[in-house]
Amino acid sequence: MNIKSSKGNLQKYANYYNPPVLFQKIKNVARKAGVKLIYVVLLLYYSTLDKELPLKDRLMVLAALGYFILPVDFIPDALPGGFADDTAALIYVLRQVWSNLTPFTKGKAHARLREWFDNVSEDDIKIPGL
């Protein structure tokens, strides 16, 4: 895939990004998706609010969140293992932007996660490779 078509694909999924729709999706799937996936989504969401995040990273994040929101994706969410493709895309992007995430961004995601889920341990939210 060349760079031009790659940017087009990113933009296509980024067009689906919409914060209210994102939070509705989280509400609808939180229990099924699990605490770790929701934490990754929150990290990426809060990174979009950080003006210091480089434009290239921001576009990747918006595309990944847009893909998460998209009602029809590679593996439908309603099927067993249906979040595998969403998880792979979100974690891939998180790994790409991790070094540019600020402690404030990480703290906001962590705090929101603790509001929504009781008894979350650090092991519950540990992302392999980060």
Side-chain angles (χ1 to χ4, degrees):
M1 180 183 297
N2 66 37
I3 292 174
K4 191 172 188 175
S5 67
S6 177
K7 284 183 182 177
N9 286 335
L10 288 175
Q11 187 60 50
K12 175 180 128 184
Y13 290 116
N15 288 336
Y16 287 99
Y17 176 72
N18 177 307
V21 175
L22 175 66
F23 279 89
Q24 185 61 47
K25 172 89 179 211
I26 290 170
K27 180 180 176 185
N28 293 343
V29 304
R31 295 275 182 226
K32 185 176 179 183
V35 67
K36 191 174 297 197
L37 179 58
I38 299 304
Y39 181 55
V40 171
V41 170
L42 288 171
L43 283 165
L44 293 174
Y45 166 74
Y46 283 111
S47 76
T48 68
L49 305 178
D50 182 356
K51 302 300 181 204
E52 299 300 314
L53 189 69
L55 183 58
K56 177 184 155 225
D57 289 355
R58 185 177 308 279
L59 184 56
M60 283 193 302
V61 167
L62 293 176
L65 292 174
Y67 184 78
F68 177 71
I69 291 170
L70 194 64
V72 178
D73 52 12
F74 189 68
I75 302 173
D77 295 341
L79 294 177
F83 289 102
D85 59 325
D86 300 274
T87 301
L90 293 165
I91 289 178
Y92 173 80
V93 169
L94 182 62
R95 285 182 177 151
Q96 299 303 305
V97 303
W98 184 257
S99 62
N100 290 323
L101 297 184
T102 64
F104 180 77
T105 295
K106 293 174 187 175
K108 291 287 285 182
H110 200 263
R112 177 62 67 99
L113 189 73
R114 290 196 181 279
E115 285 177 25
W116 290 348
F117 292 90
D118 294 330
N119 304 319
V120 175
S121 74
E122 292 304 313
D123 286 339
D124 292 335
I125 61 173
K126 185 171 182 171
I127 314 293
L130 295 179

